[in-house]
C-alpha cells in the first residue's frame, strides 16, 4: 500500500481525514479534458495536485497514540536515512524523467545568433517559418512578421512531397516573402515527438533549397536561414 493511500486509510480510521485536502488533490484532474498541451497537461495536473497529495501522504509519518516516538535512536536514524534516500532518488528521477527534452528546451549561442540573423534578413511583413515552436524568437519586431511553423502549415504530414509545396507556397504567396529557419533544437523536437525523422528533415531542406527564389542567407553550427523571395 502506497504512502498516500496508507495516510488516507489511517486518517479515515482515526476519523481525522480532512476532506478539503482530498478535494484539492482531486480537483486538478478536471483540467485533463480542457487542454492537452501536447500531452503535457498530465504533468501540470500532477504538479497542481502534488502539494495536497504530499500533505495527505505525510500523515502516515505522524506517531500513533500507542507509539508517540521511535522505540530507539537506531530506529529513528533508520527512518531519517530512508527519508533522505527517498528524497534523493526523487530528485534524480525528476531530472531524468524528462529524458531528451534538453535537446530542444535549451538554445545555444549559435541558435540565438541564427534567430537574430533571421530577424535582420526578413523584410517587414514577411513570414518567419520555423520547424517547430521550440525557437527563441518573437523577442523583437514582434508585430513586423508572421510567425509560422511546419506543424501549423503541414499538420502531421511532414513528408517532402506533401509539406514542401505547402511551405514553399506559403512563402512565395506572402507579399514580402519569407525566411525559413531550420535549427537543431526545433528539428530535434519534431524527431523526438515522432512527427518525422532526421533524414526526412534533410530531404525536405534539400528540396526547399533547390526551388526558384530560395537562397541560403545564413548558416552556422546549429542553424540555417533560407530567404524565400515572393
Amino acid at each position: 500500500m502506497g504512502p498516500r493511500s496508507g495516510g488516507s486509510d489511517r486518517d479515515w480510521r482515526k476519523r481525522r481525514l480532512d476532506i478539503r485536502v482530498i478535494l484539492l488533490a482531486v480537483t486538478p484532474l478536471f483540467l485533463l479534458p480542457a487542454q492537452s498541451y501536447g500531452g503535457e497537461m498530465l504533468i501540470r495536473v500532477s504538479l497542481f495536485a502534488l502539494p495536497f497529495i504530499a500533505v495527505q501522504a505525510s500523515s502516515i509519518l505522524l506517531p500513533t497514540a500507542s507509539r508517540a516516538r521511535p522505540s530507539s535512536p537506531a530506529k529513528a536514524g533508520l527512518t531519517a536515512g530512508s527519508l533522505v534516500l527517498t528524497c534523493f532518488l526523487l530528485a534524480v528521477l525528476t531530472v531524468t524523467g524528462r529524458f531528451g527534452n534538453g535537446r530542444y528546451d535549451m538554445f545555444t549561442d549559435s541558435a540565438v545568433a541564427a534567430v537574430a540573423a533571421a530577424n535582420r534578413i526578413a523584410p517587414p511583413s514577411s513570414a518567419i517559418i520555423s520547424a517547430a515552436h521550440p525557437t527563441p524568437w518573437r523577442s523583437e519586431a514582434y508585430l513586423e512578421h508572421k510567425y509560422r511553423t511546419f506543424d501549423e502549415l503541414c499538420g502531421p504530414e511532414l513528408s517532402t512531397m506533401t509539406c514542401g509545396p505547402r511551405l514553399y507556397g506559403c512563402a512565395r504567396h506572402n507579399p514580402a516573402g519569407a525566411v525559413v529557419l531550420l535549427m537543431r533544437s526545433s528539428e530535434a523536437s519534431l524527431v523526438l515527438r515522432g512527427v518525422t525523422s532526421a533524414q526526412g528533415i534533410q530531404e525536405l531542406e534539400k528540396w526547399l533549397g533547390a526551388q526558384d527564389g530560395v537562397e541560403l542567407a545564413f548558416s552556422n553550427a546549429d542553424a540555417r536561414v533560407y530567404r524565400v523571395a515572393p
Side-chain angles (χ1 to χ4, degrees):
M1 180 179 295
R4 179 179 63 175
S5 58
S8 301
D9 290 343
R10 197 171 84 165
D11 284 350
W12 177 264
R13 292 196 303 269
K14 298 293 183 181
R15 297 175 181 260
R16 65 184 185 192
L17 183 65
D18 193 337
I19 191 62
R20 295 171 297 180
V21 177
I22 302 299
L23 290 176
L24 289 170
V26 173
T27 299
L29 292 174
F30 292 100
L31 295 174
L32 280 174
Q35 175 59 263
S36 66
Y37 282 108
E40 291 189 1
M41 180 53 84
L42 183 60
I43 299 174
R44 289 166 169 80
V45 168
S46 300
L47 292 176
F48 293 150
L50 183 59
F52 311 107
I53 293 175
V55 168
Q56 190 58 54
S58 64
S59 66
I60 199 173
L61 302 176
L62 297 175
T64 61
S66 61
R67 184 170 57 86
R69 62 184 60 186
S71 58
S72 66
K75 192 168 184 178
L78 180 61
T79 302
S82 300
L83 183 61
V84 170
L85 179 61
T86 300
C87 292
F88 174 77
L89 291 176
L90 289 175
V92 173
L93 291 174
T94 299
V95 177
T96 59
R98 290 174 60 82
F99 174 77
N101 282 25
R103 294 177 60 186
Y104 60 84
D105 281 341
M106 300 177 62
F107 305 111
T108 64
D109 291 340
S110 297
V112 175
V115 173
N119 285 326
R120 291 194 306 268
I121 296 168
S125 300
S126 63
I128 298 180
I129 305 173
S130 177
H133 278 294
T135 302
W137 55 3
R138 301 185 182 184
S139 59
E140 57 182 83
Y142 182 82
L143 298 178
E144 293 184 7
H145 305 293
K146 301 174 183 177
Y147 295 89
R148 307 297 299 273
T149 66
F150 289 9
D151 285 342
E152 295 169 348
L153 294 173
C154 302
E157 181 56 67
L158 292 184
S159 65
T160 299
M161 291 299 98
T162 300
C163 188
R166 293 182 184 178
L167 293 176
Y168 185 60
C170 175
R172 290 300 295 262
H173 287 92
N174 192 66
V179 163
V180 178
L181 177 61
L182 296 173
M183 299 173 49
R184 181 184 298 178
S185 58
S186 56
E187 293 170 5
S189 172
L190 297 176
V191 173
L192 288 174
R193 287 191 285 123
V195 179
T196 186
S197 64
Q199 182 179 358
I201 295 175
Q202 292 175 1
E203 293 175 355
L204 179 58
E205 180 179 359
K206 183 178 180 180
W207 181 91
L208 183 65
Q211 304 308 305
D212 293 335
V214 179
E215 62 174 343
L216 180 63
F218 179 87
S219 177
N220 61 25
D222 291 322
R224 284 88 57 210
V225 178
Y226 289 88
R227 172 80 171 96
V228 183

